[in-house]
Coordinates of all heavy atoms in Angstrom, one line a residue:
L118 N 2.9 4.7 10.2 CA 3.6 3.4 10.6 C 5.0 3.4 10.1 O 5.3 4.0 9.0 CB 2.8 2.2 10.0 CG 1.4 2.0 10.6 CD1 0.8 0.7 9.9 CD2 1.5 1.8 12.1
R119 N 5.9 2.8 10.8 CA 7.3 2.7 10.4 C 7.5 2.1 9.1 O 8.4 2.5 8.3 CB 8.1 2.0 11.5 CG 8.3 2.8 12.8 CD 9.2 2.1 13.7 NE 8.7 0.9 14.3 CZ 9.3 0.2 15.3 NH1 10.5 0.7 15.8 NH2 8.8 -0.9 15.8
L120 N 6.7 1.1 8.7 CA 6.8 0.5 7.4 C 6.6 1.4 6.3 O 7.0 1.2 5.1 CB 5.9 -0.7 7.3 CG 6.2 -1.9 8.2 CD1 5.0 -2.9 8.1 CD2 7.5 -2.6 7.7
F121 N 5.9 2.5 6.5 CA 5.5 3.4 5.5 C 6.4 4.7 5.5 O 6.1 5.6 4.7 CB 4.0 3.9 5.6 CG 3.0 2.7 5.6 CD1 1.8 2.8 6.2 CD2 3.4 1.5 5.0 CE1 0.9 1.8 6.2 CE2 2.5 0.4 5.0 CZ 1.2 0.6 5.6
R122 N 7.4 4.7 6.3 CA 8.3 5.9 6.3 C 9.7 5.4 6.0 O 10.1 4.3 6.1 CB 8.3 6.5 7.7 CG 6.9 6.9 8.3 CD 7.0 7.9 9.4 NE 7.9 7.4 10.4 CZ 7.6 6.8 11.6 NH1 6.4 6.5 11.8 NH2 8.5 6.4 12.4
P123 N 10.5 6.4 5.5 CA 11.9 6.0 5.3 C 12.6 5.5 6.5 O 12.3 6.0 7.6 CB 12.6 7.3 4.8 CG 11.4 8.2 4.3 CD 10.2 7.8 5.2
P124 N 13.5 4.6 6.4 CA 14.0 4.0 5.2 C 13.3 2.7 4.7 O 13.7 2.1 3.8 CB 15.5 3.6 5.6 CG 15.3 3.2 7.0 CD 14.3 4.1 7.6
L125 N 12.2 2.3 5.5 CA 11.6 1.1 5.2 C 10.6 1.1 4.0 O 10.3 0.1 3.4 CB 10.8 0.6 6.5 CG 11.7 0.3 7.7 CD1 10.9 -0.1 8.8 CD2 12.8 -0.7 7.4
A126 N 10.1 2.3 3.7 CA 8.9 2.4 2.8 C 9.2 1.8 1.4 O 8.4 1.1 0.8 CB 8.5 3.9 2.6
R127 N 10.5 2.0 0.9 CA 10.8 1.5 -0.5 C 10.9 0.0 -0.5 O 11.0 -0.5 -1.7 CB 12.0 2.2 -1.0 CG 11.8 3.7 -1.2 CD 12.8 4.4 -2.1 NE 12.5 5.7 -2.3 CZ 11.6 6.2 -3.3 NH1 11.0 5.3 -4.0 NH2 11.3 7.4 -3.4
G128 N 10.9 -0.7 0.6 CA 11.0 -2.1 0.5 C 9.7 -2.7 1.0 O 9.6 -3.9 1.4
T129 N 8.6 -1.9 1.0 CA 7.3 -2.4 1.5 C 6.2 -2.3 0.4 O 6.2 -1.4 -0.4 CB 6.9 -1.4 2.7 OG1 7.8 -1.5 3.8 CG2 5.5 -1.8 3.2
V130 N 5.4 -3.3 0.5 CA 4.2 -3.4 -0.4 C 3.0 -3.5 0.4 O 2.9 -4.3 1.4 CB 4.3 -4.7 -1.4 CG1 3.0 -4.9 -2.1 CG2 5.5 -4.5 -2.3
V131 N 1.9 -2.8 0.0 CA 0.6 -2.9 0.7 C -0.3 -3.6 -0.3 O -0.4 -3.1 -1.5 CB 0.1 -1.6 1.1 CG1 -1.3 -1.8 1.7 CG2 1.0 -1.0 2.2
V132 N -1.0 -4.6 0.1 CA -1.9 -5.4 -0.8 C -3.3 -5.0 -0.4 O -3.7 -5.1 0.8 CB -1.7 -6.9 -0.6 CG1 -2.6 -7.6 -1.6 CG2 -0.2 -7.2 -0.9
C133 N -4.1 -4.6 -1.3 CA -5.5 -4.1 -1.0 C -6.5 -4.7 -2.1 O -6.1 -5.2 -3.1 CB -5.5 -2.6 -1.0 SG -5.3 -1.8 -2.7
A134 N -7.8 -4.4 -1.8 CA -8.8 -4.8 -2.7 C -8.9 -3.8 -3.8 O -8.4 -2.7 -3.7 CB -10.2 -4.8 -2.0
R135 N -9.4 -4.2 -4.9 CA -9.5 -3.3 -6.1 C -10.4 -2.1 -5.8 O -10.2 -1.1 -6.5 CB -10.1 -4.1 -7.3 CG -9.1 -5.1 -7.8 CD -9.7 -6.0 -8.8 NE -8.7 -6.9 -9.5 CZ -9.0 -8.0 -10.1 NH1 -10.3 -8.4 -10.3 NH2 -8.1 -8.8 -10.6
S136 N -11.2 -2.2 -4.8 CA -12.1 -1.0 -4.5 C -11.5 -0.1 -3.5 O -12.2 0.9 -3.1 CB -13.4 -1.6 -4.0 OG -13.2 -2.3 -2.8
A137 N -10.3 -0.3 -3.0 CA -9.7 0.6 -2.0 C -9.5 2.0 -2.5 O -9.4 2.2 -3.7 CB -8.4 0.0 -1.5
S138 N -9.3 2.9 -1.6 CA -9.2 4.3 -1.9 C -8.0 4.7 -2.8 O -6.9 4.3 -2.5 CB -9.1 5.1 -0.6 OG -8.6 6.4 -0.8
S139 N -8.3 5.4 -3.9 CA -7.2 5.8 -4.7 C -6.3 6.9 -4.0 O -5.1 7.0 -4.2 CB -7.7 6.4 -6.0 OG -8.4 5.3 -6.8
R140 N -7.0 7.7 -3.2 CA -6.3 8.8 -2.5 C -5.3 8.1 -1.5 O -4.1 8.6 -1.5 CB -7.2 9.7 -1.7 CG -6.5 10.6 -0.8 CD -7.5 11.4 0.1 NE -8.1 12.5 -0.7 CZ -8.9 13.4 -0.1 NH1 -9.2 13.3 1.2 NH2 -9.3 14.4 -0.8
A141 N -5.7 7.1 -0.8 CA -4.7 6.4 0.1 C -3.6 5.8 -0.7 O -2.4 5.8 -0.2 CB -5.5 5.4 0.9
E142 N -3.9 5.3 -1.8 CA -2.8 4.7 -2.7 C -1.8 5.8 -3.1 O -0.6 5.5 -3.0 CB -3.4 4.0 -3.9 CG -2.3 3.4 -4.8 CD -2.9 2.7 -6.0 OE1 -4.1 2.7 -6.2 OE2 -2.0 2.2 -6.8
R143 N -2.3 6.9 -3.5 CA -1.4 8.0 -3.9 C -0.5 8.4 -2.7 O 0.7 8.8 -2.9 CB -2.2 9.1 -4.5 CG -2.7 8.9 -5.8 CD -3.2 10.1 -6.5 NE -4.3 10.7 -5.8 CZ -5.6 10.5 -5.9 NH1 -6.0 9.6 -6.9 NH2 -6.6 11.1 -5.2
A144 N -1.1 8.5 -1.5 CA -0.3 8.9 -0.3 C 0.8 7.9 0.0 O 1.9 8.3 0.3 CB -1.3 9.1 0.9
L145 N 0.5 6.6 -0.1 CA 1.5 5.6 0.1 C 2.6 5.7 -1.0 O 3.8 5.6 -0.7 CB 0.9 4.2 0.1 CG 0.0 3.9 1.4 CD1 -0.8 2.6 1.1 CD2 0.9 3.8 2.6
A146 N 2.2 5.8 -2.2 CA 3.1 5.9 -3.3 C 4.1 7.1 -3.2 O 5.2 7.0 -3.6 CB 2.4 6.0 -4.7
A147 N 3.6 8.2 -2.6 CA 4.4 9.4 -2.4 C 5.6 9.1 -1.4 O 6.6 9.7 -1.5 CB 3.6 10.5 -1.9
H148 N 5.4 8.1 -0.6 CA 6.4 7.7 0.4 C 7.3 6.6 -0.2 O 8.3 6.2 0.4 CB 5.8 7.2 1.7 CG 5.2 8.3 2.5 ND1 5.9 9.2 3.3 CD2 3.9 8.7 2.6 CE1 5.1 10.0 3.9 NE2 3.8 9.7 3.5
G149 N 7.0 6.1 -1.4 CA 7.8 5.0 -2.0 C 7.2 3.6 -1.7 O 7.8 2.6 -2.2
V150 N 6.1 3.5 -1.1 CA 5.4 2.3 -0.9 C 4.7 1.8 -2.1 O 3.9 2.6 -2.7 CB 4.4 2.3 0.3 CG1 3.7 1.0 0.5 CG2 5.1 2.7 1.6
R151 N 4.9 0.6 -2.5 CA 4.1 0.0 -3.7 C 2.8 -0.5 -3.2 O 2.6 -1.0 -2.1 CB 4.9 -1.1 -4.3 CG 6.1 -0.6 -5.2 CD 6.7 -1.8 -5.9 NE 7.5 -2.6 -5.1 CZ 7.9 -3.8 -5.4 NH1 7.6 -4.3 -6.6 NH2 8.6 -4.6 -4.6
V152 N 1.7 -0.3 -4.0 CA 0.4 -0.8 -3.7 C 0.0 -1.8 -4.8 O 0.1 -1.5 -6.0 CB -0.6 0.3 -3.6 CG1 -2.0 -0.2 -3.4 CG2 -0.3 1.3 -2.5
W153 N -0.4 -3.0 -4.4 CA -0.9 -4.0 -5.3 C -2.4 -4.2 -5.1 O -2.8 -4.6 -3.9 CB -0.2 -5.4 -5.1 CG 1.3 -5.4 -5.4 CD1 2.0 -4.4 -6.1 CD2 2.2 -6.4 -5.1 NE1 3.3 -4.8 -6.2 CE2 3.5 -6.0 -5.6 CE3 2.1 -7.6 -4.5 CZ2 4.6 -6.8 -5.5 CZ3 3.2 -8.4 -4.3 CH2 4.5 -8.0 -4.8
R154 N -3.2 -4.1 -6.1 CA -4.6 -4.3 -6.0 C -4.9 -5.7 -6.4 O -4.4 -6.2 -7.4 CB -5.4 -3.3 -6.8 CG -5.3 -1.9 -6.3 CD -6.1 -0.9 -7.1 NE -6.0 0.4 -6.6 CZ -6.8 1.0 -5.7 NH1 -7.9 0.2 -5.2 NH2 -6.6 2.2 -5.2
M155 N -5.7 -6.4 -5.6 CA -6.0 -7.9 -5.8 C -7.5 -8.1 -5.8 O -8.2 -7.4 -5.2 CB -5.3 -8.7 -4.6 CG -3.8 -8.6 -4.5 SD -3.1 -9.7 -5.8 CE -1.5 -9.0 -5.9
P156 N -7.9 -9.2 -6.4 CA -9.3 -9.7 -6.3 C -9.6 -10.0 -4.9 O -8.8 -10.3 -4.0 CB -9.3 -10.9 -7.2 CG -8.0 -11.2 -7.7 CD -7.0 -10.1 -7.2
Q157 N -10.9 -9.9 -4.6 CA -11.4 -10.2 -3.2 C -11.3 -11.7 -2.9 O -11.5 -12.5 -3.8 CB -12.8 -9.7 -3.1 CG -13.3 -9.6 -1.7 CD -12.8 -8.4 -0.9 OE1 -12.3 -7.5 -1.6 NE2 -12.9 -8.4 0.4
G158 N -11.0 -12.0 -1.7 CA -10.9 -13.4 -1.2 C -11.8 -13.5 0.1 O -12.5 -12.6 0.4
R159 N -11.6 -14.6 0.7 CA -12.4 -14.9 1.9 C -11.9 -14.0 3.1 O -10.8 -14.1 3.6 CB -12.3 -16.4 2.4 CG -13.0 -16.8 3.6 CD -12.8 -18.3 3.8 NE -13.5 -18.8 5.0 CZ -12.9 -18.9 6.2 NH1 -11.6 -18.6 6.3 NH2 -13.5 -19.3 7.2
G160 N -12.7 -13.0 3.4 CA -12.3 -12.1 4.5 C -11.3 -11.1 4.2 O -10.8 -10.4 5.1
G161 N -10.9 -10.9 2.9 CA -9.9 -10.0 2.5 C -9.5 -10.2 1.1 O -10.3 -10.6 0.3

């Protein structure tokens, strides 16, 4: 996705559940995307 590639990646945050894949987080972080893990809510 364009949000995850330069030049947009470093201004992008992905919010996920605490149980989300650590491998996927590392892949995003390698592009400069920040990942925030959050508690579960209604439907997300």
Side-chain angles (χ1 to χ4, degrees):
L118 293 181
R119 290 189 290 188
L120 289 173
F121 302 157
R122 303 198 312 264
L125 300 180
R127 293 198 175 277
T129 298
V130 169
V131 178
V132 182
C133 67
R135 288 171 175 163
S136 59
S138 164
S139 295
R140 172 186 278 185
E142 179 179 358
R143 288 193 296 270
L145 288 169
H148 289 280
V150 177
R151 286 186 287 166
V152 176
W153 294 349
R154 293 182 180 269
M155 295 282 159
Q157 196 74 16
R159 181 176 178 265

